[in-house]
Amino acid sequence: MTFNTLKEIYSIEATLPPNFKDFEIVGVAPLELATPNHLSYVDQKSYVKKLKDTKAGGVLIRAEYASKVPSASQAIITQNPHLAFAKISHAFKVDMFKTPSTKTPPNLGANVTLMPHVVVGEGVEIGDNTIIMANVVLGDGVKIGKNCKIYPNVTIYQNTQIGNEVIIHANSVIGSDGFGYAHTELGAHIKIEHTGIVQIDDFVEIGANTTIDRAVFGTTHIKQGVKIDNLVQVGHNCVLGEHSIIVSQVGLSGSTTMGRNVVLGGQVGTGGHMHIGEFTQIGGKGAVGKDLPPHTNYAGAIPAMEIHEWHHFLATLRRFAKKQKPSLIDKAKGLWKR
Amino acid sequence: MTFNTLKEIYSIEATLPPNFKDFEIVGVAPLELATPNHLSYVDQKSYVKKLKDTKAGGVLIRAEYASKVPSASQAIITQNPHLAFAKISHAFKVDMFKTPSTKTPPNLGANVTLMPHVVVGEGVEIGDNTIIMANVVLGDGVKIGKNCKIYPNVTIYQNTQIGNEVIIHANSVIGSDGFGYAHTELGAHIKIEHTGIVQIDDFVEIGANTTIDRAVFGTTHIKQGVKIDNLVQVGHNCVLGEHSIIVSQVGLSGSTTMGRNVVLGGQVGTGGHMHIGEFTQIGGKGAVGKDLPPHTNYAGAIPAMEIHEWHHFLATLRRFAKKQKPSLIDKAKGLWKR
Amino acid sequence: MTFNTLKEIYSIEATLPPNFKDFEIVGVAPLELATPNHLSYVDQKSYVKKLKDTKAGGVLIRAEYASKVPSASQAIITQNPHLAFAKISHAFKVDMFKTPSTKTPPNLGANVTLMPHVVVGEGVEIGDNTIIMANVVLGDGVKIGKNCKIYPNVTIYQNTQIGNEVIIHANSVIGSDGFGYAHTELGAHIKIEHTGIVQIDDFVEIGANTTIDRAVFGTTHIKQGVKIDNLVQVGHNCVLGEHSIIVSQVGLSGSTTMGRNVVLGGQVGTGGHMHIGEFTQIGGKGAVGKDLPPHTNYAGAIPAMEIHEWHHFLATLRRFAKKQKPSLIDKAKGLWKR
């Protein structure tokens, strides 16, 4: 596949360098993961300093930074590199099922149970004693280890990798596309195809109706012994440390990472690209707006602060509010009746 | 169908006007949508002024307002018009499937893929190149356009209308009944049958385990290019403007409306019947308690305020709280340890 | 089954009393529910006072409290009684399906509809006129009453008991395992098998993609006339009073109980083991951090307070914050622009 072809298909507007050498492209990737057969991109100033170490064959980039592309790579000049990158990603998307399927049988270990109406894609492997319950759907290339239980109506997208002794409760979705788009000048959003995977290690348990998104590149990683409750959202490229506990309705934005034995109370939410140190605990509804250190307790929805600071904050403000006199406006509105 | 019949079936307690003329009723509807073959209702004073423009054949109404019903309509006097309306709505409910189905084959475009265990109701239409993956269930009258992908275990209720190039991820539910009840004197709740639909326009993408409720009447409308993440709740009669972005675990109460290119961060919640202006953005966990103007930024869970006001509010209060001395009570409880 | 056998299987480290008499164990249970054929445990000082009334055949307990075990019971001394209890619970777990199933046909009432790809476990009973829609999965021992509608892709775990006139919307999960673990010294988590059930009484309606966990012992109980919206989490051992209304995305921690006609707004969350009095209402996003009295209104996410106190708290603080001058730091950061 050549860049000219991509240009034709996806109508990206770009200027090729005068001495452009065509090359085979196997995919798109961020600067640090790209090989000489990948296209990458620079969309903001902070990425420029990563250019010197990239091995990307080509880099989508604005004219102002083009001179910084190393000589082994080629600058492809475009006004909106992120948008061009998104459009080109569509050529490399991986489907959940090959359609129509050639229906090669899955590779099943000893004593595997497939209950009625289980649908299995190509190249699926399932380890000894694992039970796949009714109406579960496994996409192409899914691998599940030994002694696992996958409850009814679970959907597992293509290429998800699951270890041993894993339990996934009913109607959960593993490996759905992450929520990532580039934006056009007119305000429309172009999907960035997510070619990464989800990896779930041994002894993980996942509740009902929970969703874990695949990585845009690389891996969304649920490490050994993690326990996740119902209705939890794990965004693309999250890394959950060993034996962490995630209570129901927690929402982890993309690229949230955490050390081992973190505990997140119900309805906690995190901003993107934040790290929570090992053994740190966050109370229910806590809002994580910055990196948090290890071995501490946080609480508070506006946003989370250190737990003793939170107790003091709340007690002080309530005391303060009680002392204040109501305004005439509040009296007129009938808001103050005590 | 006559009102007398309905009275017999649903035991509503009502007084017919002395010169009541029976008429065919085809459904129930709000005052502004009702035709001469609909029943409507007035339950609160604010509805009375809408009476003069209604075309409803009959209006369920309390005695005190009955004289305001226009002469082309008929007043049907009852103590709890909303409750009577709810009971009568049951006569007009639309089921997900005709049972038993007569199994008329769906109307499929070219190159449509129906994977194993897909269940399709009556009168379903699916456009060219659309893929319906394993275990998806499509109710009667569902229409899906061209080049769509419906992932496994999705449920789409009756009469949902979906455009072209739409993606719906696994285990989402489109068109479930909205959450609406009338209340009896004894505190029980009588379901209001939702006979409206969900309409999803072109280029919409919907995440995994998301729920979008059908309208009570009319349409819950997801406009062109909207992107919705996982585990989002969209209540009945919401209208999402073109190219809006709804991050995971957002909850939109019934009749929330918004302009184009609105962005709602994770876990945002809205009160009912509120409008968010176009291009406005709300940070994660934001609580929307009033109409918000266009082209602004909001943040804050208690509830959302303008983003600069929020930053100032939070910084000021934290500074204030740090300056305060702990109370003797806090010291005794060991809450203040810093 | 003897305790020696359990020791061998689960490698719990325990010391048997010198005159230990072996006995048949039929399960594990808390002190107040245990019979002479159950094992129970004491893990904290507050449980010691319950010992005198227990009928448990054996009690897992630390050495320091062993002398308090009544003479009709036997003390089994171990360093981590909760962990030993969790390990032993595995011997008594109940599976969703007997595998392989002997496929005894379900006991169906008159005019029951089972749509395509419904999967029914052993000993299932379904009452007259009930409709089970496509791809629903019913575990062993599920009982469903008359005139119910179970929408597509719902999963109902083993032994769930459902009354008459119940509606469950698509893709919801009833009876999934509660979220309960004991913890090892190394920080791993050992599942506590949940052998309780979910009981849903008459006239209950449950939205789409909602999850209701089974009790660890006893019953998670949804009483008559309760209405639950979409994407709600109901933890193990919750009790929801008659005619309560639970709006979407509410999260109820384990053992939350409430009186009749409670109303919880969207995204409300409760801490564990709290009680909400009858007829009390909590506004959207409210955080319940303590028992709440009956017949009151609460609101506020930090956490919930009495509604007039909340209005005063918020108004006062916003007025206060507006009066404060910005700090030099805020000015430097550009946070204060008004």
Side-chain angles (χ1 to χ4, degrees):
Chain A
M1 185 177 304
T2 71
F3 182 70
N4 281 325
T5 307
L6 287 174
K7 188 176 176 184
E8 210 175 291
I9 297 173
Y10 294 103
S11 325
I12 74 162
E13 289 176 20
T15 308
L16 299 180
N19 54 347
F20 180 73
K21 278 183 261 173
D22 209 354
F23 64 102
E24 190 191 14
I25 302 170
V26 299
V28 292
L31 291 169
E32 58 273 27
L33 298 179
T35 75
N37 291 109
H38 282 88
L39 275 185
S40 191
Y41 77 105
V42 167
D43 199 39
Q44 44 185 300
K45 205 172 172 181
S46 61
Y47 286 19
V48 173
K49 63 176 182 288
K50 294 180 178 179
L51 269 171
K52 66 176 173 21
D53 296 324
T54 192
K55 295 191 167 39
V59 178
L60 298 154
I61 196 163
R62 281 197 290 275
E64 61 193 293
Y65 304 130
S67 66
K68 309 287 190 181
V69 174
S71 58
S73 185
Q74 301 187 82
I76 301 161
I77 295 166
T78 178
Q79 272 303 96
N80 189 337
H82 193 221
L83 180 59
F85 185 80
K87 287 178 172 176
I88 294 170
S89 78
H90 292 210
F92 302 102
K93 76 178 164 192
V94 181
D95 282 328
M96 183 154 179
F97 296 109
K98 289 184 194 70
T99 309
S101 173
T102 56
K103 288 178 184 136
T104 51
N107 182 356
L108 302 185
N111 194 29
V112 166
T113 304
L114 299 184
M115 288 200 171
H117 316 313
V118 169
V119 176
V120 176
E122 301 214 356
V124 168
E125 296 181 13
I126 303 176
D128 301 349
N129 305 313
T130 284
I131 300 173
I132 312 288
M133 299 194 203
N135 293 348
V136 167
V137 179
L138 307 177
D140 291 347
V142 168
K143 290 185 178 44
I144 302 177
K146 299 177 183 176
N147 302 317
C148 295
K149 277 189 190 176
I150 314 295
Y151 279 87
N153 287 315
V154 165
T155 303
I156 303 182
Y157 280 56
Q158 67 277 9
N159 298 325
T160 297
Q161 309 292 304
I162 298 176
N164 303 313
E165 311 279 350
V166 170
I167 299 170
I168 302 177
H169 283 282
N171 292 58
S172 281
V173 176
I174 314 296
S176 38
D177 291 358
F179 196 64
Y181 301 90
H183 313 292
T184 71
E185 277 183 27
L186 297 174
H189 315 297
I190 305 299
K191 183 179 177 68
I192 298 168
E193 291 293 340
H194 281 59
T195 55
I197 64 163
V198 173
Q199 177 183 332
I200 297 174
D201 292 346
D202 299 349
F203 300 105
V204 168
E205 181 162 6
I206 295 170
N209 271 327
T210 277
T211 58
I212 302 180
D213 282 347
R214 64 196 310 103
V216 54
F217 307 106
T219 304
T220 301
H221 194 176
I222 315 297
K223 293 190 178 174
Q224 181 170 319
V226 168
K227 308 297 182 185
I228 299 177
D229 202 348
N230 301 341
L231 291 165
V232 169
Q233 153 72 359
V234 179
H236 53 178
N237 294 80
C238 286
V239 178
L240 277 61
E242 293 85 352
H243 310 301
S244 289
I245 287 185
I246 315 293
V247 178
S248 81
Q249 296 179 323
V250 165
L252 300 178
S253 291
S255 300
T256 300
T257 60
M258 63 187 75
R260 62 170 288 186
N261 280 88
V262 165
V263 179
L264 304 184
Q267 301 182 334
V268 161
T270 65
H273 295 269
M274 283 161 194
H275 181 74
I276 302 171
E278 62 179 13
F279 292 96
T280 282
Q281 305 198 354
I282 304 178
K285 284 191 177 292
V288 179
K290 58 176 185 178
D291 289 355
L292 299 182
H295 291 279
T296 49
N297 281 303
Y298 282 78
I302 59 160
M305 43 186 109
E306 198 280 330
I307 195 161
H308 298 104
E309 184 187 356
W310 169 251
H311 283 144
H312 180 55
F313 171 78
L314 196 58
T316 305
L317 295 183
R318 290 179 81 156
R319 219 155 41 223
F320 171 72
K322 276 186 182 162
K323 269 190 276 179
Q324 297 299 107
K325 293 196 176 158
S327 72
L328 291 176
I329 292 171
D330 281 358
K331 274 186 180 166
K333 282 185 181 164
L335 288 178
W336 198 82
K337 296 179 179 165
R338 308 178 65 244
Chain B
M1 185 177 305
T2 70
F3 183 71
N4 282 324
T5 307
L6 287 173
K7 188 175 176 185
E8 211 175 290
I9 296 174
Y10 294 102
S11 326
I12 73 162
E13 289 175 21
T15 308
L16 299 179
N19 54 347
F20 180 72
K21 278 183 262 173
D22 208 352
F23 63 104
E24 190 191 14
I25 302 169
V26 300
V28 292
L31 291 170
E32 58 273 27
L33 298 179
T35 75
N37 291 111
H38 282 88
L39 275 187
S40 192
Y41 78 105
V42 167
D43 199 40
Q44 43 186 300
K45 204 172 172 181
S46 61
Y47 286 19
V48 173
K49 63 176 182 288
K50 294 181 177 177
L51 269 172
K52 67 176 171 26
D53 296 324
T54 193
K55 297 191 167 36
V59 178
L60 298 154
I61 196 162
R62 280 197 291 275
E64 61 192 293
Y65 304 131
S67 65
K68 310 285 191 182
V69 174
S71 59
S73 186
Q74 302 187 80
I76 301 159
I77 295 167
T78 177
Q79 272 302 96
N80 189 336
H82 193 220
L83 179 60
F85 185 79
K87 287 179 174 176
I88 294 170
S89 77
H90 292 211
F92 303 102
K93 75 179 165 191
V94 182
D95 281 328
M96 182 154 180
F97 298 108
K98 289 184 193 69
T99 308
S101 173
T102 56
K103 288 179 182 135
T104 50
N107 183 355
L108 303 184
N111 195 29
V112 166
T113 304
L114 298 183
M115 289 202 170
H117 316 313
V118 168
V119 176
V120 176
E122 299 214 357
V124 168
E125 297 181 13
I126 303 177
D128 302 347
N129 305 314
T130 284
I131 301 173
I132 312 288
M133 299 196 203
N135 293 348
V136 167
V137 179
L138 307 178
D140 289 350
V142 168
K143 291 187 178 38
I144 302 178
K146 299 177 184 178
N147 302 317
C148 295
K149 277 188 190 176
I150 313 296
Y151 278 87
N153 288 315
V154 165
T155 303
I156 303 182
Y157 280 56
Q158 67 276 8
N159 298 325
T160 298
Q161 309 292 304
I162 298 178
N164 304 313
E165 311 278 349
V166 170
I167 300 170
I168 302 177
H169 283 282
N171 292 59
S172 281
V173 176
I174 314 296
S176 37
D177 292 357
F179 196 64
Y181 301 89
H183 312 293
T184 71
E185 276 183 27
L186 297 175
H189 315 296
I190 305 299
K191 182 178 178 70
I192 297 167
E193 291 294 339
H194 281 59
T195 55
I197 65 162
V198 173
Q199 177 183 332
I200 296 174
D201 292 345
D202 300 347
F203 300 106
V204 168
E205 181 162 6
I206 295 170
N209 271 327
T210 277
T211 57
I212 302 180
D213 282 348
R214 65 196 309 104
V216 54
F217 306 106
T219 304
T220 302
H221 194 177
I222 315 296
K223 292 190 178 173
Q224 182 169 318
V226 168
K227 309 297 182 184
I228 299 177
D229 202 349
N230 301 340
L231 291 165
V232 169
Q233 154 72 357
V234 179
H236 54 178
N237 294 80
C238 285
V239 178
L240 278 59
E242 295 84 352
H243 310 301
S244 290
I245 288 186
I246 314 295
V247 177
S248 80
Q249 296 179 323
V250 165
L252 301 178
S253 292
S255 300
T256 300
T257 60
M258 63 187 75
R260 63 168 290 185
N261 280 89
V262 165
V263 179
L264 304 184
Q267 301 182 333
V268 161
T270 65
H273 295 270
M274 284 162 194
H275 181 74
I276 303 172
E278 62 178 13
F279 293 96
T280 283
Q281 305 199 354
I282 303 179
K285 284 190 177 290
V288 179
K290 57 174 185 182
D291 289 355
L292 300 181
H295 292 278
T296 49
N297 282 303
Y298 283 77
I302 59 162
M305 41 186 109
E306 198 279 330
I307 196 163
H308 299 105
E309 184 188 355
W310 169 251
H311 283 145
H312 180 54
F313 172 77
L314 196 58
T316 305
L317 294 184
R318 292 178 80 156
R319 220 154 41 221
F320 172 73
K322 276 187 182 161
K323 269 190 275 181
Q324 298 299 108
K325 292 196 177 160
S327 71
L328 291 176
I329 292 170
D330 282 358
K331 273 188 179 165
K333 282 186 181 165
L335 289 178
W336 198 82
K337 297 179 177 165
R338 307 176 66 242
Chain C
M1 186 176 303
T2 70
F3 183 71
N4 282 324
T5 307
L6 287 174
K7 187 175 176 185
E8 210 175 290
I9 296 173
Y10 294 102
S11 325
I12 73 162
E13 289 175 20
T15 307
L16 300 180
N19 54 345
F20 181 73
K21 278 184 260 175
D22 209 354
F23 64 103
E24 190 191 13
I25 303 170
V26 299
V28 292
L31 291 169
E32 58 272 27
L33 298 179
T35 74
N37 291 110
H38 282 88
L39 275 186
S40 191
Y41 77 106
V42 167
D43 199 39
Q44 43 185 300
K45 204 172 174 182
S46 61
Y47 286 18
V48 173
K49 64 176 180 290
K50 295 180 178 178
L51 269 172
K52 66 178 173 19
D53 295 324
T54 191
K55 296 191 166 37
V59 178
L60 298 153
I61 197 163
R62 280 197 291 275
E64 61 193 293
Y65 304 129
S67 65
K68 311 284 190 182
V69 174
S71 59
S73 185
Q74 302 188 80
I76 301 160
I77 295 166
T78 175
Q79 272 302 98
N80 189 337
H82 193 222
L83 179 59
F85 185 79
K87 286 180 174 176
I88 294 170
S89 78
H90 293 212
F92 302 102
K93 76 178 162 191
V94 181
D95 282 328
M96 181 154 180
F97 296 109
K98 288 184 193 70
T99 309
S101 172
T102 56
K103 289 179 183 136
T104 50
N107 182 355
L108 303 185
N111 195 28
V112 166
T113 304
L114 299 183
M115 288 201 170
H117 316 313
V118 168
V119 176
V120 176
E122 301 214 355
V124 168
E125 296 180 14
I126 303 177
D128 300 349
N129 305 312
T130 284
I131 301 174
I132 313 287
M133 298 195 203
N135 294 348
V136 167
V137 179
L138 307 177
D140 290 348
V142 168
K143 290 186 178 42
I144 302 178
K146 297 177 185 177
N147 302 318
C148 296
K149 278 189 189 176
I150 314 294
Y151 278 86
N153 287 315
V154 165
T155 303
I156 303 182
Y157 281 56
Q158 68 275 9
N159 298 324
T160 298
Q161 309 292 303
I162 298 177
N164 303 313
E165 310 279 350
V166 170
I167 300 171
I168 303 178
H169 284 282
N171 291 58
S172 281
V173 176
I174 313 298
S176 38
D177 292 358
F179 197 63
Y181 301 90
H183 312 292
T184 70
E185 276 184 28
L186 297 175
H189 315 296
I190 304 300
K191 183 178 178 69
I192 297 168
E193 291 293 339
H194 281 57
T195 55
I197 66 163
V198 173
Q199 177 182 333
I200 297 174
D201 292 346
D202 298 349
F203 300 106
V204 168
E205 180 162 5
I206 295 170
N209 272 328
T210 277
T211 56
I212 302 180
D213 283 346
R214 65 197 307 104
V216 54
F217 307 106
T219 303
T220 302
H221 193 176
I222 315 296
K223 292 188 178 174
Q224 182 169 320
V226 168
K227 308 298 183 184
I228 299 177
D229 202 349
N230 301 340
L231 291 165
V232 169
Q233 154 72 359
V234 179
H236 53 180
N237 294 80
C238 286
V239 178
L240 277 61
E242 294 83 353
H243 310 300
S244 289
I245 288 187
I246 315 293
V247 178
S248 80
Q249 296 180 323
V250 165
L252 301 179
S253 292
S255 300
T256 300
T257 60
M258 63 187 76
R260 64 168 287 185
N261 280 88
V262 165
V263 179
L264 304 184
Q267 301 182 334
V268 161
T270 65
H273 295 270
M274 283 160 194
H275 181 75
I276 303 171
E278 61 178 14
F279 292 96
T280 282
Q281 305 198 352
I282 304 179
K285 284 191 178 290
V288 179
K290 58 176 183 180
D291 288 355
L292 299 182
H295 292 279
T296 50
N297 281 302
Y298 282 77
I302 59 160
M305 44 186 109
E306 198 280 330
I307 195 163
H308 299 104
E309 184 187 356
W310 168 250
H311 283 144
H312 181 55
F313 172 77
L314 196 58
T316 305
L317 295 183
R318 292 178 80 155
R319 220 154 42 223
F320 172 72
K322 275 186 181 162
K323 270 191 274 180
Q324 298 299 108
K325 294 198 176 155
S327 71
L328 291 176
I329 291 171
D330 282 357
K331 275 187 179 165
K333 280 185 182 167
L335 289 180
W336 199 81
K337 296 178 178 168
R338 307 175 68 242

